[in-house]
Amino acid sequence: MSKSKVLLLGTIDHAHEVWSSFTSTIELITPKSTNRVDFIAECNGGAFDGVVAIYRTFSSIAITGRLDDELLSALPKSVKVISHNGAGYDHFHVPSFSKHSILATNVPTAVDDATADTGLFLMLGALRNFRPSFLALTNSPHTFRPSPAPALGRDPEGGKVLGILGMGGIGRNFVRKCRPFDMKVIYHNRRRLADPALEEGATYVSFEEVLKQSDILSVHVPLNEHTRHLLGKKELAMCKKGVCIVNTARGAVIDEAALVEALESEQVGSVGLDVFEEEPKVHEGLLKNERAFLLPHMEQRRRRHKSRWKNGV
């Protein structure tokens, strides 16, 4: 019996044993191209004829660009499924997948713990204003602490309101991890969760109210045409003055230029960010602001979750 052809976009860094076990049933094909134009030409030239499934990593966006109608039209008609080893699906133009009858899959739950853990770290670092002291110690250990002393930090306790923007798996996980701080929790989704047990004791409020009431606003929404710049200049102005904003979702959910402006005016008190609007580029205003606690998209850099991603897909 002939083997099924599978196109691999990106490289396998973990779960090698699992992938090796597939060799008896699949023929693994890799592209020669390194950019979108060449990849589409390779498709049109018949290099991938007979491929039934495609497995892609996040970094393969450099090869294909966004998986939109142009790219899907170039694929052989034999392709039935494209699997992504990540939680987000913003690289997929979903209507085009429907048009071409191609199934798209991802692995959202594999990273719930890792992302929520990172959100907690960013929240505490941003509230406590750890960045200037961290940089002073690591860059000039003989000084020990920065001089002049940075602004005093804030505690998560003390009756603060935690607002969750996007109460999916990661949002709910984050709420559970924040329980020891005894914060009042509110949330906003497109619609209220149907099962009260999934609300984790949080109160559903409107979009405007989650902005106005939150002392800490944690962002957990996917990036799509409706959520791009969901938090812009107008929305940031609606927030409680001095709000701490945490974003472990996608950078472009927040208008980065507006965020920098709000930080500089102290409308936003501090931010904890693991994602950026134009990764790997980071807005200069964030790099210069000591109240911006930043990580270079590290929430999923854990061996266990990388393996779970690849095994799950």
Side-chain angles (χ1 to χ4, degrees):
M1 189 174 76
S2 61
K3 295 181 179 180
S4 299
K5 291 184 179 181
V6 175
L7 176 63
L8 172 62
L9 297 176
T11 58
I12 302 301
D13 299 317
H14 306 278
H16 293 288
E17 185 177 342
V18 173
W19 274 89
S20 296
S21 69
F22 294 152
T23 56
S24 61
T25 56
I26 68 171
E27 177 185 349
L28 197 61
I29 298 171
T30 55
K32 295 179 181 178
S33 47
T34 59
N35 60 73
R36 181 181 175 94
V37 172
D38 291 345
F39 179 78
I40 290 177
E42 205 171 352
C43 290
N44 292 333
F48 311 129
D49 285 0
V51 165
V52 296
I54 297 174
Y55 172 88
R56 72 181 297 275
T57 65
F58 187 86
S59 61
S60 69
I61 190 72
I63 302 172
T64 63
R66 193 164 189 239
L67 277 68
D68 55 14
D69 187 60
E70 179 189 33
L71 188 128
L72 297 183
S73 295
L75 295 175
K77 302 301 181 186
S78 54
V79 173
K80 301 301 180 186
V81 60
I82 299 178
S83 296
H84 171 53
N85 77 324
Y89 53 91
D90 43 297
H91 291 172
F92 291 10
H93 184 249
V94 176
S96 294
F97 276 76
S98 299
K99 174 184 174 182
H100 292 275
S101 299
I102 296 176
L103 178 67
T105 70
N106 62 341
V107 280
T109 59
V111 298
D112 285 3
D113 267 321
T115 306
D117 289 348
T118 302
L120 185 61
F121 172 77
L122 289 169
M123 180 187 76
L124 293 174
L127 282 172
R128 295 295 302 276
N129 198 25
F130 282 154
R131 177 182 171 179
S133 298
F134 173 79
L135 292 177
L137 182 61
T138 53
N139 294 337
S140 183
H142 298 296
T143 63
F144 192 63
R145 286 187 179 137
S147 181
L152 291 175
R154 297 175 287 170
D155 294 319
E157 299 91 352
K160 289 185 173 58
V161 176
L162 170 63
I164 303 296
L165 195 53
M167 193 71 143
I170 295 171
R172 295 194 297 272
N173 194 305
F174 183 73
V175 170
R176 291 194 292 273
K177 286 178 165 63
C178 288
R179 276 188 183 143
F181 302 122
D182 198 27
M183 293 186 280
K184 175 185 176 182
V185 183
I186 59 177
Y187 80 96
H188 179 74
N189 277 354
R190 287 174 296 176
R191 59 186 67 88
R192 183 173 183 173
L193 293 171
D195 184 354
L198 294 177
E199 294 185 305
E200 300 291 343
T203 301
Y204 181 77
V205 297
S206 67
F207 178 61
E208 291 76 13
E209 286 303 312
V210 81
L211 300 181
K212 292 177 180 178
Q213 294 186 35
S214 299
D215 297 295
I216 301 158
L217 181 65
S218 192
V219 180
H220 303 283
V221 299
L223 177 63
N224 54 46
E225 60 270 25
H226 304 295
T227 61
R228 182 174 293 274
H229 286 191
L230 182 65
L231 298 180
K233 187 172 183 177
K234 175 185 173 183
E235 291 76 20
L236 293 172
M238 292 172 62
C239 290
K240 184 181 291 188
K241 187 170 178 63
V243 65
C244 172
I245 296 177
V246 177
N247 188 8
T248 55
R250 285 290 186 265
V253 172
I254 303 178
D255 181 340
E256 217 161 75
L259 181 61
V260 167
E261 184 178 320
L263 269 170
E264 291 174 348
S265 70
E266 300 189 12
Q267 168 63 17
V268 171
S270 59
V271 295
L273 306 175
D274 187 54
V275 289
F276 304 92
E277 188 169 354
E278 298 180 22
E279 290 181 24
K281 178 183 175 183
V282 180
H283 196 292
E284 191 70 19
L286 293 173
L287 295 172
K288 290 180 177 179
N289 196 306
E290 71 173 24
R291 290 179 289 109
F293 193 54
L294 313 175
L295 288 176
H297 207 148
M298 294 291 291
E299 82 244 20
Q300 294 146 9
R301 296 293 299 172
R302 290 172 66 179
R303 183 173 296 275
R304 182 170 71 95
H305 291 87
K306 287 289 185 180
S307 296
R308 287 177 67 192
W309 261 351
K310 291 178 170 61
N311 291 345
V313 173

